[in-house]
Amino acid sequence: NQWHYERDRLNRVNHRNNMYNRSTGQNYTWTGASIKDGEYNRRKIYKYKIVQLCSYYELRDEGNEMRHCVATYATSCSAGKCSIFSVREYINDEFVGRTATIEIRNGSIVQIRAKYNRKPDDTTLSVIKEWATYEKLNISSYALWEIKFLI
């Protein structure tokens, strides 16, 4: 049963990848925006890294882990219309998990989403604000307004 499950899962992933390549005619990877990744320490053992996602596979993995539709942004990302960043948490330099996904358009953060499209925790938000200030990014009022009303 496990073998059949894994085979079917792999077939579904390959089918999705092939459909993406045929439907968009885009590459699976792109250069990305000239915005730097960030690394921020919180307390002694916690570290947060903000990493730009520059391939369809990275977006797919982010969406699968975070349970949202970020992979559908691949065409926009490859066309340079937006950039997607992942916020990742580490404890004692060991990866713990992803805490948020960030969408940037025209130098502004327009969406910030945690798992299941929920509001990120306060620590993650403070890291994002610090990074945005350092990178001279605006946080749109729409993104902040949305956060107030997310469950």
Side-chain angles (χ1 to χ4, degrees):
N1 284 340
Q2 182 68 26
W3 179 83
H4 285 288
Y5 170 79
E6 289 298 326
R7 189 190 67 172
D8 290 344
R9 185 175 152 296
L10 184 59
N11 286 339
R12 283 192 308 272
V13 167
N14 287 335
H15 175 72
R16 252 184 304 191
N17 292 345
N18 290 335
M19 293 304 293
Y20 170 77
N21 194 32
R22 271 182 285 190
S23 67
T24 64
Q26 299 290 329
N27 291 329
Y28 281 166
T29 62
W30 48 88
T31 306
S34 60
I35 301 168
K36 294 181 180 141
D37 295 347
E39 189 172 302
Y40 299 89
N41 295 318
R42 293 292 185 265
R43 292 176 272 173
K44 288 185 178 181
I45 61 171
Y46 292 94
K47 183 185 293 180
Y48 290 83
K49 292 182 181 180
I50 300 177
V51 180
Q52 185 168 190
L53 307 179
C54 294
S55 77
Y56 167 72
Y57 299 111
E58 291 175 328
L59 292 178
R60 181 201 61 202
D61 292 346
E62 181 82 2
N64 286 342
E65 178 69 27
M66 298 295 282
R67 303 288 192 225
H68 54 51
C69 67
V70 74
T72 63
Y73 287 74
T75 303
S76 295
C77 290
S78 66
K81 294 178 182 176
C82 72
S83 301
I84 304 293
F85 287 79
S86 175
V87 183
R88 298 165 181 195
E89 181 180 23
Y90 295 80
I91 297 177
N92 290 326
D93 292 326
E94 269 191 55
F95 177 71
V96 175
R98 302 164 201 246
T99 61
T101 307
I102 304 166
E103 178 191 358
I104 299 174
R105 289 184 184 263
N106 301 321
S108 287
I109 295 174
V110 295
Q111 281 195 80
I112 303 169
R113 293 284 192 266
K115 199 167 196 169
Y116 302 109
N117 283 325
R118 292 187 174 136
K119 174 187 180 282
D121 62 63
D122 291 339
T123 305
T124 299
L125 284 174
S126 74
V127 166
I128 293 169
K129 287 178 182 178
E130 186 178 339
W131 173 72
T133 301
Y134 183 77
E135 288 298 319
K136 296 179 175 70
L137 299 168
N138 298 318
I139 300 179
S140 75
S141 56
Y142 174 75
L144 293 175
W145 179 84
E146 272 191 323
I147 288 172
K148 291 178 187 174
F149 294 100
L150 289 174
I151 297 173

